Coordinates of all heavy atoms in Angstrom, one line a residue:
M1 N 92.4 79.7 19.1 CA 93.5 80.5 19.7 C 92.9 81.8 20.3 O 92.2 82.5 19.6 CB 94.6 80.8 18.6 CG 95.7 81.6 19.1 SD 96.8 82.0 17.7 CE 98.2 82.4 18.7
R2 N 93.3 82.1 21.4 CA 92.9 83.3 22.1 C 93.3 84.6 21.4 O 94.4 84.6 20.9 CB 93.4 83.3 23.5 CG 92.9 84.3 24.4 CD 93.3 84.0 25.9 NE 93.1 85.2 26.6 CZ 94.1 85.9 27.3 NH1 95.3 85.4 27.3 NH2 93.9 87.0 27.9
L3 N 92.5 85.6 21.4 CA 92.9 86.9 20.8 C 93.9 87.7 21.6 O 93.7 87.9 22.8 CB 91.6 87.8 20.6 CG 91.9 89.1 19.9 CD1 92.3 88.9 18.4 CD2 90.6 89.9 19.9
A4 N 95.0 88.2 21.0 CA 95.9 89.0 21.7 C 96.0 90.3 20.8 O 96.0 90.3 19.6 CB 97.3 88.3 21.7
L5 N 96.1 91.4 21.5 CA 96.2 92.7 20.9 C 97.5 93.5 21.3 O 97.8 93.5 22.5 CB 95.0 93.6 21.3 CG 93.6 93.0 20.9 CD1 92.5 93.9 21.5 CD2 93.5 93.0 19.4
D6 N 98.2 94.0 20.3 CA 99.4 94.8 20.6 C 99.1 96.2 20.0 O 98.8 96.2 18.8 CB 100.6 94.1 20.0 CG 101.8 94.9 20.2 OD1 102.1 95.3 21.4 OD2 102.6 95.2 19.3
T7 N 99.3 97.2 20.7 CA 99.1 98.6 20.2 C 100.4 99.4 20.2 O 101.0 99.5 21.3 CB 98.0 99.3 21.1 OG1 96.8 98.4 21.0 CG2 97.7 100.6 20.5
R8 N 100.6 100.0 19.1 CA 101.8 100.9 19.0 C 101.3 102.2 18.4 O 100.5 102.3 17.4 CB 102.9 100.4 18.1 CG 103.6 99.2 18.6 CD 104.8 98.8 17.8 NE 104.6 99.2 16.4 CZ 104.9 98.5 15.4 NH1 105.4 97.3 15.5 NH2 104.7 98.9 14.1
K9 N 101.7 103.3 19.0 CA 101.3 104.7 18.6 C 102.6 105.4 18.1 O 103.6 105.3 18.7 CB 100.7 105.5 19.7 CG 99.4 104.9 20.2 CD 98.8 105.7 21.3 CE 97.5 105.1 21.8 NZ 96.7 106.0 22.6
D10 N 102.4 106.1 17.0 CA 103.4 107.1 16.5 C 102.7 108.4 16.3 O 101.6 108.6 16.8 CB 104.1 106.6 15.3 CG 103.2 106.4 14.0 OD1 102.2 107.2 14.0 OD2 103.6 105.7 13.1
E11 N 103.3 109.3 15.7 CA 102.8 110.7 15.6 C 101.5 110.7 14.8 O 100.5 111.4 15.2 CB 103.8 111.6 15.0 CG 105.0 111.9 15.8 CD 106.0 112.8 15.1 OE1 105.6 113.4 14.1 OE2 107.1 112.7 15.5
D12 N 101.4 109.9 13.8 CA 100.2 110.0 12.8 C 99.1 109.0 13.1 O 98.0 109.3 12.9 CB 100.7 109.8 11.4 CG 101.8 110.8 11.0 OD1 102.9 110.7 11.5 OD2 101.5 111.6 10.1
R13 N 99.5 107.8 13.6 CA 98.5 106.8 13.6 C 98.8 105.8 14.8 O 99.8 105.8 15.4 CB 98.5 106.0 12.3 CG 99.7 105.2 12.1 CD 99.7 104.5 10.8 NE 100.9 103.7 10.6 CZ 101.3 103.1 9.6 NH1 100.5 103.1 8.5 NH2 102.4 102.4 9.5
T14 N 97.7 105.0 15.0 CA 97.8 103.9 16.0 C 97.7 102.6 15.3 O 96.7 102.4 14.5 CB 96.7 104.1 17.0 OG1 96.8 105.4 17.7 CG2 96.8 103.0 18.1
L15 N 98.6 101.7 15.5 CA 98.6 100.4 14.9 C 98.2 99.4 15.9 O 98.9 99.2 17.0 CB 99.9 100.0 14.3 CG 100.1 98.6 13.7 CD1 99.1 98.5 12.5 CD2 101.5 98.3 13.3
V16 N 97.1 98.7 15.7 CA 96.6 97.6 16.6 C 96.8 96.3 15.8 O 96.2 96.1 14.8 CB 95.1 97.8 16.9 CG1 94.6 96.6 17.8 CG2 94.9 99.1 17.6
T17 N 97.8 95.5 16.3 CA 98.0 94.2 15.7 C 97.3 93.1 16.5 O 97.5 93.0 17.7 CB 99.5 93.9 15.8 OG1 100.2 95.0 15.1 CG2 99.9 92.6 15.1
A18 N 96.4 92.4 15.8 CA 95.6 91.4 16.4 C 96.2 90.0 16.1 O 96.6 89.8 14.9 CB 94.2 91.5 16.0
R19 N 96.2 89.1 17.0 CA 96.6 87.7 16.8 C 95.6 86.8 17.4 O 95.2 87.0 18.5 CB 98.0 87.5 17.4 CG 99.2 88.2 16.7 CD 100.5 87.9 17.4 NE 100.6 88.2 18.8 CZ 100.7 89.4 19.3 NH1 100.7 90.4 18.6 NH2 100.7 89.5 20.6
G20 N 95.3 85.7 16.6 CA 94.4 84.7 17.1 C 93.0 84.8 16.4 O 93.0 85.0 15.2
S21 N 92.0 84.5 17.1 CA 90.6 84.5 16.6 C 89.7 85.6 17.1 O 89.8 85.9 18.3 CB 90.0 83.1 16.9 OG 90.7 82.0 16.3
I22 N 89.0 86.2 16.2 CA 88.0 87.2 16.7 C 86.6 86.5 16.5 O 86.1 86.3 15.5 CB 88.1 88.4 15.8 CG1 89.5 89.0 15.8 CG2 87.0 89.5 16.3 CD1 89.7 90.1 14.8
D23 N 86.1 86.2 17.7 CA 84.8 85.5 17.7 C 83.9 86.0 18.9 O 84.3 87.0 19.5 CB 85.0 84.0 17.8 CG 85.9 83.6 19.0 OD1 85.9 84.3 20.0 OD2 86.5 82.5 19.0
L24 N 82.9 85.3 19.1 CA 81.9 85.7 20.2 C 82.6 85.9 21.5 O 82.3 86.8 22.3 CB 80.8 84.6 20.3 CG 79.7 84.9 21.3 CD1 79.0 86.2 21.0 CD2 78.8 83.7 21.4
H25 N 83.6 85.1 21.8 CA 84.3 85.2 23.1 C 85.3 86.3 23.2 O 85.6 86.8 24.3 CB 85.0 83.9 23.4 CG 84.0 82.7 23.4 ND1 83.0 82.6 24.4 CD2 83.8 81.7 22.6 CE1 82.3 81.5 24.1 NE2 82.7 81.0 23.0
S26 N 85.8 86.8 22.1 CA 86.9 87.8 22.1 C 86.5 89.1 21.5 O 87.2 90.1 21.7 CB 88.1 87.3 21.3 OG 87.8 87.0 20.0
S27 N 85.4 89.2 20.8 CA 85.0 90.4 20.1 C 84.7 91.6 21.1 O 85.0 92.7 20.7 CB 83.8 90.2 19.2 OG 82.7 89.7 20.0
A28 N 84.2 91.3 22.3 CA 84.0 92.4 23.2 C 85.3 93.1 23.6 O 85.3 94.3 23.7 CB 83.2 91.9 24.4
S29 N 86.3 92.4 23.8 CA 87.6 93.0 24.2 C 88.2 93.8 23.0 O 88.7 94.9 23.2 CB 88.6 92.0 24.7 OG 89.0 91.1 23.6
L30 N 88.0 93.3 21.8 CA 88.4 94.1 20.6 C 87.6 95.4 20.5 O 88.2 96.5 20.3 CB 88.3 93.3 19.3 CG 88.7 94.0 18.1 CD1 90.2 94.5 18.1 CD2 88.5 93.1 16.9
Q31 N 86.3 95.3 20.7 CA 85.5 96.5 20.6 C 85.8 97.5 21.6 O 86.0 98.7 21.4 CB 84.0 96.1 20.7 CG 83.1 97.3 20.6 CD 81.6 97.0 20.5 OE1 81.3 95.9 20.0 NE2 80.8 97.8 21.0
S32 N 86.0 97.0 22.9 CA 86.3 97.9 24.0 C 87.7 98.6 23.7 O 87.8 99.8 23.9 CB 86.4 97.1 25.3 OG 86.9 97.9 26.3
H33 N 88.6 97.9 23.1 CA 89.9 98.4 22.8 C 89.9 99.5 21.8 O 90.4 100.6 21.9 CB 90.9 97.3 22.4 CG 92.3 97.7 22.3 ND1 93.1 98.1 23.4 CD2 93.1 97.9 21.2 CE1 94.3 98.4 23.0 NE2 94.3 98.3 21.7
L34 N 89.2 99.2 20.7 CA 89.1 100.1 19.5 C 88.3 101.4 19.9 O 88.7 102.5 19.6 CB 88.5 99.4 18.3 CG 89.4 98.3 17.7 CD1 88.6 97.6 16.5 CD2 90.7 98.8 17.3
I35 N 87.2 101.2 20.5 CA 86.3 102.3 20.9 C 87.1 103.2 21.9 O 87.0 104.4 21.9 CB 85.0 101.9 21.4 CG1 84.2 101.1 20.3 CG2 84.2 103.1 22.0 CD1 83.9 101.9 19.1
G36 N 87.8 102.5 22.8 CA 88.6 103.3 23.8 C 89.6 104.2 23.2 O 89.8 105.3 23.6
L37 N 90.3 103.6 22.2 CA 91.3 104.4 21.5 C 90.7 105.6 20.8 O 91.2 106.7 20.9 CB 92.1 103.6 20.4 CG 93.0 102.5 21.0 CD1 93.5 101.6 19.9 CD2 94.2 103.1 21.7
L38 N 89.6 105.4 20.1 CA 88.9 106.5 19.5 C 88.4 107.6 20.5 O 88.6 108.8 20.3 CB 87.7 106.0 18.6 CG 88.1 105.2 17.4 CD1 86.9 104.4 16.9 CD2 88.7 106.1 16.3
D39 N 87.9 107.1 21.6 CA 87.4 108.0 22.6 C 88.5 108.8 23.3 O 88.3 109.9 23.8 CB 86.5 107.3 23.6 CG 85.2 106.9 23.1 OD1 84.8 107.4 22.0 OD2 84.5 106.0 23.7
E40 N 89.7 108.2 23.3 CA 90.9 108.9 23.9 C 91.5 109.9 22.9 O 92.4 110.6 23.3 CB 92.0 107.8 24.2 CG 91.6 107.0 25.4 CD 92.6 105.9 25.6 OE1 93.6 105.8 24.9 OE2 92.3 105.0 26.5
G41 N 91.0 109.9 21.7 CA 91.5 110.9 20.7 C 92.3 110.4 19.6 O 92.8 111.2 18.8
D42 N 92.6 109.1 19.5 CA 93.3 108.6 18.3 C 92.5 108.8 17.1 O 91.3 108.6 17.0 CB 93.6 107.1 18.5 CG 94.5 106.9 19.7 OD1 94.2 107.2 20.8 OD2 95.6 106.3 19.4
R43 N 93.1 109.4 16.0 CA 92.4 109.8 14.8 C 92.7 108.9 13.6 O 91.9 109.0 12.6 CB 92.7 111.2 14.5 CG 92.0 112.2 15.5 CD 90.5 112.1 15.4 NE 89.9 112.5 16.6 CZ 89.2 111.7 17.4 NH1 89.0 110.4 17.2 NH2 88.5 112.1 18.5
Q44 N 93.7 108.1 13.6 CA 94.0 107.2 12.5 C 94.4 105.9 13.1 O 95.5 105.7 13.7 CB 95.1 107.7 11.6 CG 94.8 108.9 10.8 CD 95.8 109.2 9.8 OE1 96.8 108.5 9.6 NE2 95.7 110.4 9.2
I45 N 93.5 104.9 13.0 CA 93.7 103.6 13.6 C 93.8 102.6 12.5 O 92.9 102.5 11.6 CB 92.6 103.2 14.6 CG1 92.6 104.2 15.8 CG2 92.8 101.8 15.1 CD1 91.5 104.0 16.8
V46 N 94.9 101.8 12.5 CA 95.1 100.7 11.5 C 95.0 99.4 12.3 O 95.7 99.2 13.3 CB 96.4 100.8 10.8 CG1 96.6 99.7 9.9 CG2 96.5 102.2 10.1
V47 N 94.1 98.5 11.9 CA 94.0 97.2 12.6 C 94.6 96.2 11.7 O 94.1 95.9 10.6 CB 92.5 96.9 12.8 CG1 92.4 95.5 13.6 CG2 91.8 98.0 13.6
D48 N 95.7 95.6 12.1 CA 96.5 94.6 11.3 C 95.9 93.2 11.7 O 96.1 92.8 12.8 CB 98.0 94.7 11.6 CG 98.8 93.8 10.8 OD1 98.2 93.0 10.0 OD2 100.0 93.8 10.9
L49 N 95.3 92.6 10.7 CA 94.7 91.3 10.9 C 95.6 90.1 10.3 O 95.1 89.0 10.1 CB 93.3 91.2 10.2 CG 92.3 92.2 10.8 CD1 91.0 92.0 10.1 CD2 92.1 92.0 12.3
A50 N 96.8 90.4 9.9 CA 97.7 89.4 9.3 C 97.8 88.1 10.1 O 97.9 87.0 9.6 CB 99.1 90.0 9.0
A51 N 97.8 88.2 11.4 CA 97.9 87.1 12.3 C 96.6 86.6 12.9 O 96.6 85.8 13.8 CB 98.9 87.4 13.4
V52 N 95.5 87.0 12.3 CA 94.2 86.6 12.7 C 93.8 85.4 11.8 O 93.7 85.5 10.6 CB 93.1 87.7 12.7 CG1 91.7 87.2 12.9 CG2 93.5 88.8 13.7
D53 N 93.4 84.3 12.4 CA 93.1 83.1 11.6 C 91.6 82.8 11.5 O 91.2 82.0 10.7 CB 93.8 81.8 12.3 CG 93.3 81.6 13.7 OD1 92.5 82.4 14.2 OD2 93.9 80.7 14.3
F54 N 90.8 83.6 12.2 CA 89.3 83.4 12.1 C 88.6 84.6 12.6 O 89.0 85.3 13.5 CB 88.9 82.2 13.1 CG 87.5 81.9 13.1 CD1 86.8 81.2 12.1 CD2 86.7 82.4 14.1 CE1 85.5 81.0 12.1 CE2 85.3 82.2 14.2 CZ 84.7 81.4 13.1
C55 N 87.5 85.0 11.9 CA 86.7 86.1 12.3 C 85.2 85.7 12.0 O 84.9 85.5 10.8 CB 87.1 87.4 11.5 SG 86.2 88.8 12.0
D56 N 84.4 85.7 13.0 CA 83.0 85.4 12.8 C 82.2 86.6 12.7 O 82.7 87.7 12.7 CB 82.5 84.4 13.8 CG 82.4 85.0 15.2 OD1 82.6 86.2 15.4 OD2 82.0 84.2 16.1
S57 N 80.9 86.5 12.7 CA 80.0 87.6 12.5 C 80.1 88.6 13.6 O 79.9 89.8 13.4 CB 78.5 87.2 12.3 OG 78.1 86.4 13.5
S58 N 80.4 88.1 14.8 CA 80.5 89.1 16.0 C 81.8 89.9 15.8 O 81.8 91.1 16.1 CB 80.6 88.3 17.3 OG 81.6 87.4 17.4
G59 N 82.8 89.3 15.2 CA 84.0 90.1 14.9 C 83.8 91.1 13.8 O 84.3 92.2 13.9
L60 N 83.1 90.7 12.8 CA 82.7 91.7 11.7 C 81.9 92.8 12.3 O 82.1 94.0 11.9 CB 81.9 91.0 10.6 CG 82.7 89.9 9.8 CD1 81.7 89.3 8.8 CD2 83.9 90.5 9.1
N61 N 81.0 92.5 13.2 CA 80.1 93.5 13.8 C 81.0 94.5 14.6 O 80.8 95.7 14.5 CB 79.1 92.9 14.7 CG 78.1 93.8 15.3 OD1 77.8 94.9 14.7 ND2 77.6 93.5 16.4
V62 N 82.0 94.1 15.3 CA 82.9 94.9 16.0 C 83.6 95.9 15.0 O 83.8 97.1 15.3 CB 83.9 94.1 16.8 CG1 85.1 95.0 17.3 CG2 83.2 93.5 18.0
L63 N 84.2 95.3 13.9 CA 84.9 96.1 13.0 C 84.0 97.2 12.4 O 84.4 98.4 12.2 CB 85.5 95.3 11.9 CG 86.6 94.3 12.4 CD1 87.1 93.4 11.3 CD2 87.8 95.1 12.9
V64 N 82.7 96.8 12.0 CA 81.8 97.8 11.5 C 81.4 98.9 12.5 O 81.4 100.1 12.2 CB 80.5 97.1 11.0 CG1 79.4 98.1 10.6 CG2 80.8 96.2 9.8
R65 N 81.2 98.5 13.7 CA 80.8 99.5 14.8 C 82.0 100.4 15.0 O 81.8 101.6 15.2 CB 80.5 98.8 16.1 CG 79.1 98.2 16.1 CD 78.9 97.4 17.4 NE 77.6 96.8 17.3 CZ 76.7 96.8 18.3 NH1 76.9 97.5 19.3 NH2 75.6 96.2 18.1
A66 N 83.2 99.9 15.1 CA 84.4 100.8 15.3 C 84.6 101.7 14.1 O 84.9 102.9 14.3 CB 85.6 99.9 15.5
Y67 N 84.4 101.2 12.9 CA 84.5 102.0 11.7 C 83.5 103.2 11.7 O 83.8 104.3 11.5 CB 84.3 101.1 10.4 CG 84.2 101.9 9.2 CD1 85.3 102.3 8.5 CD2 82.9 102.2 8.6 CE1 85.2 103.0 7.3 CE2 82.8 102.9 7.4 CZ 84.0 103.3 6.7 OH 83.9 104.0 5.6
K68 N 82.2 102.9 12.1 CA 81.2 103.9 12.2 C 81.5 104.9 13.3 O 81.3 106.1 13.1 CB 79.8 103.2 12.4 CG 79.3 102.5 11.2 CD 77.9 101.9 11.4 CE 77.3 101.3 10.2 NZ 76.0 100.8 10.4
H69 N 82.0 104.4 14.4 CA 82.3 105.3 15.5 C 83.5 106.2 15.1 O 83.4 107.4 15.5 CB 82.7 104.4 16.8 CG 82.9 105.2 18.0 ND1 81.8 105.7 18.7 CD2 84.0 105.6 18.7 CE1 82.2 106.3 19.8 NE2 83.5 106.3 19.8
A70 N 84.4 105.7 14.4 CA 85.5 106.5 13.9 C 85.0 107.6 13.0 O 85.4 108.8 13.2 CB 86.5 105.7 13.1
R71 N 84.1 107.3 12.1 CA 83.5 108.3 11.2 C 82.8 109.4 12.0 O 82.9 110.6 11.7 CB 82.6 107.7 10.2 CG 83.4 106.9 9.2 CD 82.6 106.3 8.1 NE 81.8 107.3 7.4 CZ 82.0 107.7 6.2 NH1 83.0 107.1 5.5 NH2 81.3 108.6 5.6
V72 N 82.0 109.0 13.0 CA 81.3 110.0 13.8 C 82.2 110.9 14.6 O 81.9 112.0 14.9 CB 80.3 109.2 14.8 CG1 79.7 110.1 15.8 CG2 79.2 108.6 14.0
T73 N 83.4 110.4 15.0 CA 84.3 111.1 15.8 C 85.4 111.8 14.9 O 86.4 112.2 15.5 CB 85.0 110.3 16.9 OG1 85.6 109.2 16.3 CG2 83.9 109.7 17.9
N74 N 85.1 111.9 13.6 CA 86.1 112.5 12.7 C 87.4 111.8 12.7 O 88.5 112.5 12.6 CB 86.3 114.0 13.1 CG 86.0 114.9 11.9 OD1 85.6 114.4 10.8 ND2 86.2 116.2 12.1
A75 N 87.4 110.5 12.7 CA 88.6 109.7 12.7 C 88.5 108.7 11.6 O 87.6 108.7 10.8 CB 88.8 109.0 14.1
A76 N 89.6 107.9 11.4 CA 89.6 106.9 10.4 C 90.1 105.6 11.0 O 91.0 105.6 11.8 CB 90.6 107.3 9.3
L77 N 89.4 104.5 10.6 CA 89.8 103.2 11.0 C 89.8 102.3 9.8 O 88.8 102.3 9.0 CB 88.8 102.6 12.0 CG 89.1 101.2 12.6 CD1 88.9 101.2 14.1 CD2 88.3 100.2 11.9
V78 N 90.9 101.7 9.5 CA 91.1 100.8 8.4 C 91.7 99.5 8.9 O 92.3 99.4 9.9 CB 92.0 101.4 7.3 CG1 91.3 102.6 6.7 CG2 93.4 101.7 7.8
V79 N 91.5 98.4 8.0 CA 92.0 97.1 8.3 C 93.0 96.8 7.2 O 92.9 97.1 6.1 CB 90.9 96.1 8.3 CG1 91.4 94.7 8.3 CG2 89.9 96.3 9.4
T80 N 94.1 96.1 7.6 CA 95.1 95.7 6.7 C 95.6 94.3 7.1 O 95.3 93.8 8.2 CB 96.3 96.7 6.7 OG1 97.2 96.3 5.6 CG2 97.1 96.6 8.0
G81 N 96.2 93.6 6.1 CA 96.8 92.3 6.3 C 95.9 91.1 6.4 O 96.3 90.0 6.6
A82 N 94.6 91.3 6.1 CA 93.7 90.2 6.2 C 94.1 89.2 5.1 O 94.3 89.5 4.0 CB 92.2 90.7 5.9
Q83 N 94.1 87.9 5.5 CA 94.5 86.8 4.6 C 93.5 85.6 4.8 O 92.8 85.5 5.8 CB 95.9 86.3 5.0 CG 96.9 87.4 5.0 CD 98.2 86.9 5.5 OE1 98.7 85.8 5.1 NE2 98.9 87.6 6.4
G84 N 93.5 84.7 3.8 CA 92.8 83.5 3.9 C 91.3 83.6 4.2 O 90.6 84.4 3.5
R85 N 90.9 82.9 5.2 CA 89.5 82.9 5.6 C 89.0 84.3 6.0 O 87.8 84.7 5.7 CB 89.2 81.9 6.7 CG 89.4 80.5 6.3 CD 88.9 79.6 7.4 NE 89.9 79.7 8.5 CZ 89.7 79.0 9.6 NH1 88.7 78.2 9.8 NH2 90.6 79.1 10.6
V86 N 89.8 85.0 6.7 CA 89.4 86.4 7.1 C 89.3 87.3 5.9 O 88.3 88.0 5.8 CB 90.5 86.9 8.1 CG1 90.1 88.4 8.5 CG2 90.6 86.0 9.4
Q87 N 90.2 87.3 5.0 CA 90.0 88.1 3.8 C 88.8 87.7 3.0 O 88.1 88.5 2.5 CB 91.3 87.9 2.9 CG 91.3 88.8 1.7 CD 92.5 88.6 0.8 OE1 93.0 87.5 0.7 NE2 93.0 89.7 0.3
N88 N 88.6 86.4 2.9 CA 87.4 85.9 2.2 C 86.1 86.4 2.8 O 85.2 86.8 2.1 CB 87.4 84.4 2.1 CG 86.4 83.8 1.2 OD1 86.1 84.3 0.2 ND2 85.7 82.7 1.7
V89 N 86.0 86.3 4.1 CA 84.7 86.8 4.8 C 84.5 88.3 4.6 O 83.4 88.7 4.4 CB 84.6 86.3 6.2 CG1 85.5 87.2 7.1 CG2 83.2 86.4 6.7
L90 N 85.6 89.0 4.6 CA 85.5 90.5 4.3 C 85.0 90.7 2.9 O 84.2 91.6 2.7 CB 86.8 91.2 4.6 CG 87.2 91.3 6.1 CD1 88.6 91.8 6.3 CD2 86.2 92.2 6.9
R91 N 85.5 90.0 2.0 CA 85.1 90.1 0.6 C 83.7 89.7 0.3 O 82.9 90.4 -0.3 CB 86.1 89.3 -0.4 CG 87.4 90.0 -0.6 CD 88.1 89.2 -1.7 NE 89.4 89.9 -1.9 CZ 90.5 89.2 -2.2 NH1 90.5 87.9 -2.5 NH2 91.6 89.9 -2.4
T92 N 83.4 88.6 0.9 CA 82.0 88.0 0.7 C 80.9 88.9 1.2 O 79.9 89.1 0.6 CB 81.9 86.6 1.4 OG1 82.9 85.8 0.8 CG2 80.5 86.0 1.2
T93 N 81.2 89.6 2.3 CA 80.2 90.5 2.9 C 80.3 91.9 2.3 O 79.4 92.8 2.6 CB 80.5 90.7 4.4 OG1 81.8 91.1 4.7 CG2 80.2 89.3 5.2
G94 N 81.3 92.2 1.5 CA 81.4 93.5 0.9 C 82.1 94.5 1.8 O 82.3 95.7 1.4
L95 N 82.5 94.1 3.0 CA 83.1 95.0 3.9 C 84.5 95.4 3.5 O 85.1 96.4 4.0 CB 83.2 94.4 5.3 CG 81.8 94.3 6.0 CD1 81.9 93.5 7.3 CD2 81.1 95.6 6.2
D96 N 85.1 94.6 2.6 CA 86.5 95.0 2.2 C 86.5 96.3 1.5 O 87.5 97.1 1.6 CB 87.0 93.9 1.2 CG 86.2 93.7 0.0 OD1 84.9 93.9 0.0 OD2 86.8 93.4 -1.1
K97 N 85.4 96.7 0.9 CA 85.4 98.0 0.2 C 85.5 99.2 1.1 O 85.9 100.3 0.8 CB 84.1 98.1 -0.6 CG 84.0 97.1 -1.8 CD 82.7 97.2 -2.5 CE 82.6 96.2 -3.6 NZ 82.1 94.9 -3.1
Y98 N 85.1 99.0 2.4 CA 85.0 100.0 3.4 C 86.2 100.0 4.3 O 86.7 101.0 4.8 CB 83.7 100.0 4.2 CG 82.5 100.1 3.3 CD1 81.8 99.0 2.9 CD2 82.1 101.4 2.9 CE1 80.7 99.2 2.1 CE2 81.0 101.5 2.1 CZ 80.3 100.4 1.7 OH 79.2 100.5 0.9
L99 N 86.6 98.7 4.7 CA 87.6 98.6 5.7 C 89.0 98.3 5.3 O 89.9 98.8 6.0 CB 87.2 97.4 6.6 CG 85.8 97.5 7.4 CD1 85.5 96.2 8.1 CD2 85.9 98.6 8.4
I100 N 89.2 97.6 4.2 CA 90.6 97.2 3.9 C 91.4 98.3 3.2 O 90.9 98.9 2.2 CB 90.6 95.9 3.0 CG1 90.0 94.8 3.9 CG2 92.0 95.6 2.5 CD1 90.0 93.4 3.1
R101 N 92.6 98.5 3.7 CA 93.5 99.4 3.0 C 94.9 98.8 3.1 O 95.2 98.3 4.2 CB 93.6 100.8 3.7 CG 92.3 101.6 3.7 CD 92.0 102.1 2.2 NE 90.7 102.9 2.2 CZ 89.5 102.4 2.0 NH1 89.4 101.1 1.7 NH2 88.5 103.1 1.9
E102 N 95.7 98.9 2.1 CA 97.0 98.4 2.1 C 97.9 99.6 2.5 O 97.7 100.7 2.1 CB 97.4 97.8 0.8 CG 96.7 96.5 0.5 CD 96.7 95.5 1.6 OE1 97.7 95.2 2.1 OE2 95.6 94.9 1.8
L103 N 98.9 99.3 3.3 CA 99.8 100.3 3.8 C 101.0 100.5 2.9 O 101.4 99.7 2.2 CB 100.3 100.0 5.2 CG 99.3 99.9 6.3 CD1 99.9 99.5 7.6 CD2 98.5 101.1 6.4

């Protein structure tokens, strides 16, 4: 399933809802979107992965790069809603300790 991104901003944070698969073919668009938000000045970004059914190593790489970019720019980036295989891969790699936050 193709990756779709929906972004909503309120006063405090930006919520990016992802749907579909984050893989080699879609990870570049996710990276561009997240880095773009940070570079535009968004300081609290929440990436909702509840509707993501697959995330490979390129997707993990994007999340880590965006997380690091957020820290460098004095911002915060967290992931929420990861389930099933996506949650499992985040736990297996240990990235859940850095990225996952429940709202």
